[in-house]
Amino acid sequence: MNYNSTTGLTLTKFLELLDRITEILESRTCASQPPGGRPVVLSLHDQLYIALNLLRHNTRQNLLAHLHGVSQPTVSRAYRRMLPLISEALAFELPDIHDALNRGESLIIDGTDVPVRKHKPAIRTHYSGKKRKHCVNVQVLTTISGRLMLLAEPVPGSHHDRKAMTESGLEELLAATLYLGDLGYQGTDAMIPYKKGQRPGTGELIEHDKAFNDQLAKIRWAVEQGISHLKNWKIMAEIYRGVFHELPSVIQTIGRLEFFRLRSLGTRL
């Protein structure tokens, strides 16, 4: 079994996460029995494997049920049981953003969309005219080396990056910090590229502006790389089919999983 290709984690990382979850369950009463008193059909190993497979590949639950010889509701229960346990086990994986701000670390911000299904409460508010699809907007913060620092709470996809940054609280958080952005963050304190029309006269960019934009683009690739790593968890790249109100916790769990996946064994970035 190739754990890396199916769960997104190496076997070593998978077993480390499994051990953490086992410790959490052993510290609780009735740890061997899932909530509700249902008999154990899948081992803890298989439950974690199924949950990670769903997050990594957005696999259909009925397919996983067939592969494991269980029913689709059993797969659904295993996933819902494991999701908060994974998040709890990795609660301290993401670095403290306040420590980075106190160190004066330079950060990069960008937004990414997570496609969602059409659902009545959000048919209009979550439709992005620019993307031409229903989605949520998630603001991503990385360092200039591409290290993930923060995933903000998702906001409706109809919001552009400037508004999404404000509503998610990042504009206030970064008020006294140097950070880089693209033209979607005009009106904030972000360092953004020059655009045509800023200079008097012809409005064309001068050589200084072009050189500045080129250098800024060479730095901003890091946040694009960070987002591409997040999108490797296909539940964030393909249409989210789960319960809508659970999406924020899914996104935060993905952030913790990605940092856990990237850090060297036994060390923290």
Side-chain angles (χ1 to χ4, degrees):
M1 183 184 296
N2 189 328
Y3 284 81
N4 198 25
S5 62
T6 53
T7 69
L9 302 178
T10 63
L11 176 58
T12 301
K13 292 283 187 180
F14 180 91
L15 294 177
E16 181 183 346
L17 179 56
L18 181 62
D19 287 343
R20 293 190 190 186
I21 292 174
T22 301
E23 290 177 5
I24 291 172
L25 292 177
E26 287 178 346
S27 67
R28 300 174 182 172
T29 58
C30 301
S32 61
Q33 194 80 352
R38 295 180 181 274
V40 176
V41 178
L42 294 166
S43 66
L44 193 62
H45 173 284
D46 289 345
Q47 291 180 56
L48 179 58
Y49 182 88
I50 284 173
L52 291 175
N53 193 291
L54 282 167
L55 294 173
R56 189 67 174 180
H57 298 287
N58 203 20
T59 313
R60 296 279 181 177
Q61 291 186 1
N62 55 4
L63 174 59
L64 285 173
H66 174 73
L67 294 175
H68 288 268
V70 295
S71 65
Q72 180 273 325
T74 298
V75 169
S76 180
R77 286 193 296 271
Y79 169 72
R80 289 193 168 186
R81 184 193 184 205
M82 282 294 106
L83 193 64
L85 288 171
I86 293 171
S87 186
E88 183 178 350
L90 302 178
F92 301 104
E93 286 301 322
L94 280 177
D96 188 341
I97 183 64
H98 296 287
D99 287 344
L101 296 178
N102 291 335
R103 292 194 305 267
E105 193 160 0
S106 298
L107 303 174
I108 314 174
I109 188 171
D110 202 359
T112 186
D113 62 273
V114 177
V116 297
R117 294 181 299 177
K118 294 181 182 179
H119 55 288
K120 290 184 179 179
I123 286 180
R124 293 185 179 179
T125 59
H126 285 70
Y127 182 77
S128 169
K130 180 180 179 181
K131 304 286 186 179
R132 296 188 178 182
K133 60 184 176 183
H134 289 79
C135 59
V136 294
N137 183 311
V138 180
Q139 296 293 297
V140 181
L141 268 181
T142 70
T143 64
I144 58 175
S145 63
R147 178 164 57 112
L148 179 65
M149 292 298 296
L150 181 69
L151 288 178
E153 290 292 312
V155 299
S158 57
H159 295 1
H160 52 74
D161 285 338
R162 171 68 174 84
K163 186 175 182 180
M165 180 185 179
T166 302
E167 291 201 359
S168 60
L170 289 185
E171 185 172 12
E172 181 179 355
L173 178 67
L174 301 174
T177 305
L178 172 65
Y179 62 100
L180 312 179
D182 58 23
L183 288 174
Y185 297 94
Q186 295 180 73
T188 69
D189 294 331
M191 184 181 296
I192 61 175
Y194 288 99
K195 66 173 184 177
K196 290 185 178 181
Q198 284 187 239
R199 298 289 183 180
T202 63
E204 295 296 322
L205 297 179
I206 62 175
E207 289 303 317
H208 168 273
D209 299 342
K210 294 178 182 179
F212 176 85
N213 289 355
D214 288 344
Q215 290 301 315
L216 192 60
K218 290 178 181 179
I219 299 173
R220 287 197 69 259
W221 70 270
V223 71
E224 301 293 347
Q225 185 183 51
I227 289 174
S228 70
H229 284 311
L230 291 171
K231 292 290 188 175
N232 284 332
W233 299 89
K234 296 304 180 185
I235 203 165
M236 286 190 64
E238 301 173 355
I239 294 178
Y240 175 73
R241 298 189 298 269
V243 180
F244 187 74
H245 72 265
E246 293 178 352
L247 181 56
S249 63
V250 170
I251 291 173
Q252 294 305 317
T253 301
I254 293 297
R256 294 173 181 182
L257 274 167
E258 183 58 22
F259 195 84
F260 176 66
R261 184 186 73 85
L262 289 176
R263 75 169 172 82
S264 300
L265 186 63
T267 62
R268 292 184 181 273
L269 293 175

